[in-house]
């Protein structure tokens, strides 16, 4: 049973560019959440997708957007990248019927130069 | 607003010594508390949930509503316990977790 998978694992972008990160949830999971983990910090909730819609959102600007596909996979898009967007981006999935028990992928390391 | 505080950035103990990683939360309702662990170069893994009242790898954690704490304990630390530990709080069955800043546990031989 594959867990949560994310791609790419590492990438480097230039300030002002746009980036798309991808996530496939754990088998049987229909809810996907994205977190940002800056160096030395705990993960911070960006947003959550369920039934292809954004269900809730953390305190992140509109430059951060996402999408969920019918197969429950998800994308995180960040526009107009800033140096401060450099972080580990974590995808997490959870079972139908919600619940707070979530499972994380290995993350995508984004470096903005 | 919901908040999770882990007061120690680093906790260093010798093998065989007891370990207590502190976690305090602030939430007006009834939160659900978790401990996650991240070993070197591995993904964040769920260690404990307070609703399960389970013991994983010798670790236990008790929710103390009076002190709003959920400290992680282990009576005898092992070198393989060295990792980053995060306390997290969820509310309302939403799947949104608030994380503390994490504590690095270093177990010396």
């Amino acid at each position: 049973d594959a867990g949560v998978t994310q791609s790419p694992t590492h990438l480097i972008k230039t300030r002002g560019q746009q980036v798309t990160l991808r996530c496939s949830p754990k088998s049987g999971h229909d809810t996907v959440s994205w977190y940002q983990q800056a160096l030395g910090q705990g993960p911070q909730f960006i947003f959550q997708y369920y039934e292809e819609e954004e269900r809730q959102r953390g305190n992140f600007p509109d430059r951060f957007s996402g999408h969920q596909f019918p197969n429950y996979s998800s994308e995180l898009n960040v526009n107009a990248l800033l140096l401060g967007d450099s972080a580990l981006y974590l995808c997490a999935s959870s079972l139908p019927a919600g619940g707070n028990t979530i499972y994380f992928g290995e993350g995508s390391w984004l470096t903005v130069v | 607003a919901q908040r999770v505080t882990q007061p120690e950035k680093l906790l260093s103990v010798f093998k065989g010594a007891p370990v207590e990683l502190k976690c305090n939360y602030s939430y007006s309702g009834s939160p659900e508390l978790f401990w996650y662990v991240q070993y070197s170069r591995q993904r964040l893994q769920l260690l404990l949930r307070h609703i399960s009242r389970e013991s994983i790898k010798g670790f236990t954690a008790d929710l103390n509503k009076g002190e709003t704490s959920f400290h992680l304990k282990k009576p005898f630390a092992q070198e393989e316990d060295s990792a980053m530990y995060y306390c997290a709080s969820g509310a309302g069955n939403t799947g949104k977790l608030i994380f503390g800043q994490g504590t690095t546990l270093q177990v010396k031989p």
Side-chain angles (χ1 to χ4, degrees):
Chain A
D1 173 27
V4 179
T5 58
Q6 293 186 242
S7 64
T9 52
H10 294 83
L11 70 168
I12 300 174
K13 290 286 188 177
T14 303
R15 193 170 44 180
Q17 285 188 314
Q18 179 262 345
V19 68
T20 297
L21 308 177
R22 295 174 177 82
C23 170
S24 292
K26 191 173 164 65
S27 178
H29 288 190
D30 63 355
T31 302
V32 173
S33 301
W34 287 91
Y35 288 78
Q36 181 195 65
Q37 187 175 17
L39 208 58
Q41 304 291 320
Q44 281 197 290
F45 178 80
I46 302 175
F47 44 52
Q48 182 185 82
Y49 277 83
Y50 172 71
E51 292 190 341
E52 301 179 49
E53 290 192 358
E54 184 181 292
R55 184 158 71 170
Q56 51 182 333
R57 188 179 183 93
N59 189 25
F60 279 81
D62 292 345
R63 298 186 297 109
F64 289 77
S65 63
H67 189 77
Q68 186 178 35
F69 299 93
N71 66 354
Y72 308 126
S73 67
S74 177
E75 288 181 350
L76 164 67
N77 300 294
V78 187
N79 294 322
L81 284 167
L82 304 173
L83 297 180
D85 295 331
S86 295
L88 177 65
Y89 288 86
L90 296 168
C91 175
S93 70
S94 55
L95 285 165
N100 290 322
T101 302
I102 63 176
Y103 297 88
F104 285 90
E106 294 191 348
S108 294
W109 279 103
L110 171 64
T111 302
V112 183
V113 297
Chain B
Q2 218 176 338
R3 180 178 290 181
V4 175
T5 304
Q6 293 180 251
E8 303 140 327
K9 287 191 77 71
L10 172 67
L11 182 63
S12 186
V13 302
F14 285 102
K15 176 182 171 183
V19 168
E20 182 179 66
L21 298 166
K22 291 184 168 50
C23 172
N24 290 91
Y25 67 91
S26 63
Y27 181 62
S28 56
S30 296
E32 191 174 351
L33 277 299
F34 302 83
W35 277 99
Y36 279 83
V37 60
Q38 190 167 34
Y39 300 104
S40 180
R41 298 192 182 88
Q42 294 187 27
R43 71 182 66 199
L44 208 54
Q45 302 172 35
L46 177 64
L47 182 63
L48 285 177
R49 297 176 295 175
H50 93 267
I51 56 173
S52 302
R53 300 187 63 82
E54 58 203 335
S55 173
I56 304 290
K57 299 184 179 182
F59 285 98
T60 59
D62 289 316
L63 179 62
N64 185 324
K65 291 186 178 180
E67 295 183 357
T68 60
S69 69
F70 188 57
H71 303 329
L72 183 68
K73 299 177 184 179
K74 185 169 183 177
F76 307 104
Q78 304 299 315
E79 288 181 68
E80 55 265 30
D81 295 329
S82 295
M84 190 73 165
Y85 291 80
Y86 292 97
C87 182
S89 169
N93 215 33
T94 63
K96 173 184 175 181
L97 297 185
I98 304 297
F99 283 83
Q101 296 217 354
T103 299
T104 300
L105 174 63
Q106 185 182 73
V107 181
K108 297 177 284 188

